[in-house]
């Protein structure tokens, strides 16, 4: 019998998918790669050609490490690196000039450099940079070769060059976060539509798929937060994007309610799955509300991607969400079971979160909902 162990078409398709994923990663990382490369070359040029330091390799190293591949925390990382390198070089130069080089000397130098760094700040970057710099001093560039102060100054040059590259070759402080938020909202809309489909068909499979997808969104939320931190740094140091601060502030204000919305969607999806498995009775109008909410989230996604002056804007997204909220009346869960009541409450909470993403205050968002009195023992809306 022929073996079915290998499936060439599947293998080819999987290879293509991996190639597309790799290409997407490379495209997303193109700017930080260019920034690191340019900063390394500029740092070497400044330290070697302008300041005439001998073999100033600490300068390009400091520039690359201070930038890194992530957009968030670069200014703090640059400061920590400069402090760490300075501590490592200072401790290494001081001790190695007295006790010489060797295995036990390296043990002592690294321990003291890291202890000094932890005492000064405690950040992991400072401690690791202090240790690696001390090792270099103790092995490849002992104090006998001179240049101790120059080495510390090279680290400062590299860090400053890194900051200047971020200032004058910056990523857009808002664009990356907008795309990430739009992707999160696309996932949210798809999850809600699958939940509605599963409830209509009384079939758990679409809801199980929706729950699986909803559980993968936390990494996207974390990436959005990192992009916003990086955007705030860029808007502070880059004159090119000072005018983007108001939009960045709006995007930052929307991040927390977006996170809350995704959490509420997970709860809604789990309860919907329980509802179907328990064969609990559900008012069809409530299912219709979930489908309408999916469409409203799609509008909210387009709002996030729209440039200033384009439609849909915040007012249009809020209007669509209000059209859903006015239908969330307590009569939808009269004589309903606990799962249906929880789904009802989660939809109301979700609407409040999404309207905050659209720019409304929490109080204004809650005011758009019809009044309701929760049943004793059941969860409240907010």
């Amino acid at each position: 019998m022929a073996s079915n162990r290998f499936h060439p078409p599947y293998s080819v398709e999987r290879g293509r998918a991996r190639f597309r994923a790799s290409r997407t990663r490379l495209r997303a990382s193109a700017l930080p790669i260019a920034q690191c490369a340019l900063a390394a070359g500029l740092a070497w040029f400044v330290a070697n050609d302008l300041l005439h330091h001998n073999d100033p390799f600490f300068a390009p190293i400091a520039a690359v490490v201070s930038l890194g591949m992530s957009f968030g925390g670069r200014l703090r990382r640059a400061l920590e690196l400069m402090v760490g390198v300075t501590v490592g070089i200072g401790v290494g130069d001081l001790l190695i000039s007295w006790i010489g080089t060797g295995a036990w000397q390296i043990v002592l130098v690294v321990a003291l450099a890291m202890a000094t760094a932890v005492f000064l700040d405690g950040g992991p970057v400072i401690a690791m940079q202090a240790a690696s710099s001390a090792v270099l001093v103790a092995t490849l560039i002992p104090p006998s070769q001179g240049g101790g102060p120059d080495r510390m100054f090279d680290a400062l040059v590299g860090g400053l060059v890194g900051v200047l590259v971020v200032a004058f070759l910056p990523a857009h402080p808002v664009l990356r976060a907008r795309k990430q938020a739009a992707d999160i909202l696309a996932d949210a809309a798809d999850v809600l539509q699958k939940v509605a489909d599963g409830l209509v068909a009384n079939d758990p499979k679409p809801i199980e798929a929706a729950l699986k997808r909803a559980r993968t969104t936390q990494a996207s939320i974390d990436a959005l937060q990192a992009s916003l931190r990086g955007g705030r740094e860029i808007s502070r140091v880059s004159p090119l994007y000072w005018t983007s601060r108001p939009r960045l502030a709006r995007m930052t204000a929307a991040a927390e309610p977006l996170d809350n919305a995704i959490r509420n969607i997970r709860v809604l999806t789990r309860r919907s799955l329980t509802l179907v498995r328990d064969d609990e009775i559900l008012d069809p109008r409530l299912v219709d509300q979930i489908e309408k909410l999916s469409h409203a989230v799609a509008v909210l996604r387009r709002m996030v991607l729209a440039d200033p002056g384009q439609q849909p804007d915040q007012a249009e997204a809020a209007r669509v969400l209000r059209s859903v909220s006015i239908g969330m009346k307590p009569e939808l869960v009269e004589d309903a079971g606990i799962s249906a009541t929880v789904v009802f409450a989660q939809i109301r909470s979700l609407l409040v979160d999404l309207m905050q993403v659209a720019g409304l205050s929490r109080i204004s968002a809650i005011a758009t909902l019809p009044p309701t009195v929760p049943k004793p023992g059941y969860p409240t809306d907010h």
Side-chain angles (χ1 to χ4, degrees), residues 310-324:
Q310 292 183 339
Q311 292 290 331
D313 57 9
Q314 286 184 323
E316 173 63 14
R319 185 193 65 79
V320 175
L321 287 166
R322 284 194 190 96
S323 70
V324 181

Side-chain angles (χ1 to χ4, degrees), residues 192 195-197 199-200 268 271-272 275 280-294 324-325 327-334 336-349 351 381:
L192 290 169
V195 169
D197 292 343
L199 291 173
V200 168
L268 186 155
R271 270 299 178 172
S272 297
L275 190 151
E280 188 175 313
I281 296 175
L282 185 68
D283 192 318
R285 292 176 297 174
L286 188 58
V287 181
D288 187 51
Q289 288 295 102
I290 296 175
E291 189 163 14
K292 288 180 180 178
L293 185 56
S294 173
V324 181
S325 69
M328 293 302 298
K329 300 176 181 179
E331 63 192 54
L332 297 181
V333 286
E334 286 182 358
I338 187 169
S339 291
T341 304
V342 172
V343 167
F344 173 79
Q346 289 303 133
I347 295 173
R348 287 172 65 94
S349 293
L351 280 163
D381 289 348

Side-chain angles (χ1 to χ4, degrees), residues 105-334:
Q105 289 93 336
I106 292 175
V107 172
L108 181 61
V109 167
V110 170
L112 288 176
M114 294 186 74
T116 303
V118 170
F119 178 78
L120 291 175
D121 180 87
V125 174
I126 292 180
M128 295 309 298
Q129 288 302 318
S132 58
S133 300
V135 168
L136 288 173
V137 170
T139 55
L140 298 179
I141 49 171
S144 59
Q145 295 182 12
D150 285 351
R151 296 168 186 163
M152 290 185 280
F153 194 70
D154 289 342
L156 177 63
V157 167
L160 291 176
V161 167
V163 172
L164 290 174
V165 167
V166 170
F168 294 101
L169 186 64
H172 195 290
V174 186
L175 183 60
R176 187 182 183 92
R178 284 169 56 195
K179 290 180 178 179
Q180 290 169 328
D183 289 343
I184 293 168
L185 288 167
D187 287 341
D190 183 66
V191 167
L192 290 169
Q193 185 60 56
K194 282 184 170 63
V195 169
D197 292 343
L199 291 173
V200 168
N202 199 32
D203 182 2
K205 290 183 179 179
I207 306 177
E208 289 170 354
L211 184 57
K212 183 177 180 181
R213 183 164 185 178
R215 285 171 172 165
T216 65
T217 53
Q218 191 56 49
S220 300
I221 292 289
D222 295 340
L224 171 61
Q225 296 286 4
S227 294
L228 289 171
R229 288 193 296 272
R232 287 193 291 271
E233 289 183 354
I234 292 169
S235 67
R236 285 197 297 266
V237 302
S238 177
L240 302 176
Y241 288 118
W242 285 346
T243 57
S244 69
R245 291 174 183 174
R247 186 161 196 185
L248 180 62
R250 291 194 296 270
M251 194 75 238
T252 301
E256 183 176 351
L258 180 57
D259 187 4
N260 293 336
I262 295 299
R263 296 175 190 274
N264 278 321
I265 285 175
R266 294 189 198 119
V267 178
L268 186 155
T269 306
R270 285 197 301 270
R271 270 299 178 172
S272 297
L273 185 58
T274 301
L275 190 151
V276 170
R277 287 173 175 172
D278 293 346
D279 202 22
E280 188 175 313
I281 296 175
L282 185 68
D283 192 318
R285 292 176 297 174
L286 188 58
V287 181
D288 187 51
Q289 288 295 102
I290 296 175
E291 189 163 14
K292 288 180 180 178
L293 185 56
S294 173
H295 297 158
V297 172
V299 174
L300 194 61
R301 173 185 174 274
R302 295 199 299 273
M303 179 211 79
V304 169
L305 290 174
D307 292 323
Q310 292 183 339
Q311 292 290 331
D313 57 9
Q314 286 184 323
E316 173 63 14
R319 185 193 65 79
V320 175
L321 287 166
R322 284 194 190 96
S323 70
V324 181
S325 69
I326 60 176
M328 293 302 298
K329 300 176 181 179
E331 63 192 54
L332 297 181
V333 286
E334 286 182 358

Side-chain angles (χ1 to χ4, degrees), residues 53-68:
H53 292 177
N54 293 325
D55 299 324
F57 60 86
F58 272 116
I61 289 175
V64 171
V65 176
S66 66
L67 290 176

